[in-house]
Amino acid sequence: MTPFRQNSIADSFNRAAATYEQYACVQKKTAEHLAELLPEAQKVQKILETGCGTGFYSKILSDTFPQAQIFSLDISYNMLITATRRFNSLENVHLFTADAEQLPINPDITFDLITSNGVIQWFADMENAIRRFRQHLKPGGTLLVSFFGNQTLEELA
């Protein structure tokens, strides 16, 4: 993602953080659907969630995998602040401000599950980002994402 595009997206989500949840009906439904597709809990010890937003899906992950360490990142700092309010304790959830498309993670770090809800459609180069995700996936791990197509939510325009 170009720095200008990255800053523009981050600014938009920073402005929307306080009210985002009340309009995120589709995002909540896709998070609930992703939850139905999650792998067996005993197989998952380390999770990377990209684009955690207000933490709705992060909470599902935390409840489903209480033994796992969850690394959730978002490009919007304000979204992360909102997400922290969702958890009584952040013992197994670690929140970071970062550009998921660039995935600024040590190449040696791998995850049992890499997941994302409604985020990768924002990427300038989705194919390259998916390749990066794959490099951080443990053998036998799961990549589970949802993304919106060109005409998703068009009725809101």
Side-chain angles (χ1 to χ4, degrees), residues 47-52 57-58 61 70-73 113 115-116:
I47 300 169
L48 173 64
E49 177 195 14
T50 62
C52 66
Y57 184 46
S58 310
L61 293 171
I70 303 169
F71 300 87
S72 297
L73 54 92
L113 171 64
T115 188
S116 175

Side-chain angles (χ1 to χ4, degrees), residues 38-39 43-50 103 105-116 128-145:
L38 288 167
K43 295 182 178 181
V44 179
Q45 297 300 313
K46 194 158 56 166
I47 300 169
L48 173 64
E49 177 195 14
T50 62
L103 209 58
I105 297 173
N106 182 314
D108 298 332
I109 297 174
T110 58
F111 300 88
D112 302 298
L113 171 64
I114 298 177
T115 188
S116 175
N128 244 352
I130 297 289
R131 264 194 216 101
R132 261 190 223 96
F133 290 173
R134 178 69 183 101
Q135 291 170 348
H136 289 282
L137 200 58
K138 288 183 180 176
T142 300
L143 175 62
L144 181 62
V145 301

Side-chain angles (χ1 to χ4, degrees), residues 19-85:
T19 58
Y20 183 86
E21 187 103 0
Q22 69 192 56
Y23 300 106
C25 299
V26 173
Q27 292 85 337
K28 288 177 183 177
K29 284 183 188 274
T30 56
E32 290 164 355
H33 182 66
L34 285 174
E36 296 171 6
L37 302 171
L38 288 167
E40 296 175 30
Q42 67 270 20
K43 295 182 178 181
V44 179
Q45 297 300 313
K46 194 158 56 166
I47 300 169
L48 173 64
E49 177 195 14
T50 62
C52 66
T54 62
F56 182 83
Y57 184 46
S58 310
K59 180 71 167 129
I60 292 172
L61 293 171
S62 179
D63 290 346
T64 304
F65 304 105
Q67 79 294 346
Q69 292 299 305
I70 303 169
F71 300 87
S72 297
L73 54 92
D74 200 281
I75 199 167
S76 165
Y77 178 76
N78 290 352
M79 287 287 195
L80 292 176
I81 295 302
T82 302
T84 60
R85 297 182 191 126

